[in-house]
């Protein structure tokens, strides 16, 4: 019976394996876990409501996911792909690099857009794939998988390094607390100053890497598309 309480994990695995809507999968897993744990639907929504009230700032992330999911259902992905498809010079690497710069700036102010599931998947990924579609008319499946990895990686890199620049943010406080336990007393403003060159270096290296990989992927999969393979 204890294993039955892990049914939410099974829902996540099966849902993502079938490539169903991410937001729907997560919400279904939450409800399944609540029922399996003996909470019931009513108590589940009661706890969810109390958590929302006591953690308003954190729940903004949930709201963004619901809004993004609704927009995606009504053609957000298609619109994003068409937008970038108008530019013949656009490539997946350039799209992802541009997003990295944009993400870094907002990350420095600790502003989150919903992460990979809430923003990258429904907006950035279709735009990157749209750049391929505008040039070749279709996207090789392996090419698409590579683009997914690049898009998610840029999100993780920029958020990881740039959020620490926000004085008082969770990332900065975590680093400060860890250093304090090791016997080093560091002010948050000093920590941000030290992190600035590190964050810039991480963004530059990631951008250059993705641009170089972009050219390699175009040579590899672009030819296959033209041949119809």
């Amino acid at each position: 019976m204890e294993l039955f309480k892990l049914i939410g994990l099974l829902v996540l695995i099966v849902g993502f394996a079938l490539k169903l809507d991410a937001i729907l999968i997560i919400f279904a897993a939450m409800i399944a876990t609540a029922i399996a744990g003996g909470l019931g639907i009513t108590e589940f929504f009661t706890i969810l409501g109390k958590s929302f009230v006591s953690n308003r700032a954190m729940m903004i992330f949930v709201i963004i996911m619901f809004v993004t999911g609704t927009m995606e259902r009504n053609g957000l992905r298609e619109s994003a792909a068409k937008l970038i498809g108008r530019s013949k010079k656009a490539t997946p690497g350039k799209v992802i690099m541009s997003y990295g710069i944009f993400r870094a700036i907002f990350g420095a102010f600790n502003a989150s857009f919903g992460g990979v599931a809430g923003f990258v998947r429904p907006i950035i990924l279709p735009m990157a794939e749209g750049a391929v579609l505008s040039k070749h008319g279709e996207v090789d499946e392996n090419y698409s998988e590579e683009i997914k990895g690049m898009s998610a990686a840029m999100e993780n890199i920029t958020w990881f390094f740039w959020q620490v620049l926000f004085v008082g943010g969770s990332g900065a406080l975590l680093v400060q607390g860890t250093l304090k336990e090791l016997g080093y007393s560091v002010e948050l403003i000093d920590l941000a100053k030290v992190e600035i060159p590190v964050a810039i270096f991480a963004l530059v290296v990631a951008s250059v890497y993705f641009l170089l990989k972009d050219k390699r992927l175009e040579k590899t999969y672009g030819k296959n598309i033209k041949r119809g393979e």
Side-chain angles (χ1 to χ4, degrees), residues 8 19 28-29 31 67 77 83 104 116 118 137 151 168 171-172 197 207-208 210 224:
K19 296 183 178 181
I31 295 177
V67 172
R77 290 173 61 87
L83 175 64
V116 175
S151 303
S207 298
V208 172
F210 289 137
N224 292 342

Side-chain angles (χ1 to χ4, degrees), residues 77-87 127:
R77 290 173 61 87
E78 292 75 10
S79 298
K82 288 180 180 178
L83 175 64
I84 202 66
R86 295 174 182 173
S87 176
M127 291 178 70

Side-chain angles (χ1 to χ4, degrees), residues 9-55:
L9 181 60
L10 179 62
V11 173
L12 286 175
I13 295 174
V14 174
F16 284 118
L18 296 176
K19 296 183 178 181
L20 301 177
D21 185 82
I23 297 177
L24 178 62
I25 295 170
I26 295 172
F27 198 71
M30 291 168 58
I31 295 177
T33 302
I35 295 175
L39 286 177
I41 297 295
T42 303
E43 190 172 355
F44 165 72
F45 280 107
T46 300
I47 294 174
L48 185 64
K50 289 180 179 179
S51 299
F52 178 82
V53 173
S54 58
N55 300 280

Side-chain angles (χ1 to χ4, degrees), residues 26-162:
I26 295 172
F27 198 71
M30 291 168 58
I31 295 177
T33 302
I35 295 175
L39 286 177
I41 297 295
T42 303
E43 190 172 355
F44 165 72
F45 280 107
T46 300
I47 294 174
L48 185 64
K50 289 180 179 179
S51 299
F52 178 82
V53 173
S54 58
N55 300 280
R56 296 181 184 85
M58 294 181 63
M59 290 304 293
I60 291 176
F61 166 76
V62 178
I63 295 175
I64 291 176
M65 288 194 68
F66 277 115
V67 172
T68 304
T70 302
M71 294 175 67
E72 182 179 358
R73 185 176 182 180
N74 289 276
L76 178 63
R77 290 173 61 87
E78 292 75 10
S79 298
K82 288 180 180 178
L83 175 64
I84 202 66
R86 295 174 182 173
S87 176
K88 298 300 180 182
K89 295 183 179 180
T91 67
K94 291 179 181 179
V95 171
I96 293 170
M97 182 189 70
S98 300
Y99 172 67
I101 297 173
F102 170 81
R103 188 71 188 86
I105 295 173
F106 281 86
F109 293 95
N110 205 37
S112 176
F113 302 117
V116 175
F119 194 82
V120 173
R121 178 183 176 275
I123 300 178
I124 304 304
L125 178 58
M127 291 178 70
E129 291 182 338
V132 180
L133 288 171
S134 66
K135 184 179 295 185
H136 301 294
E138 60 178 300
V139 184
D140 183 273
E141 184 177 353
N142 293 322
Y143 200 171
S144 178
E145 290 299 318
E146 292 284 359
I147 295 174
K148 288 179 183 178
M150 291 166 62
S151 303
M154 181 59 87
E155 164 68 24
N156 292 331
I157 291 170
T158 49
W159 177 244
F160 181 85
F161 285 99
W162 286 78

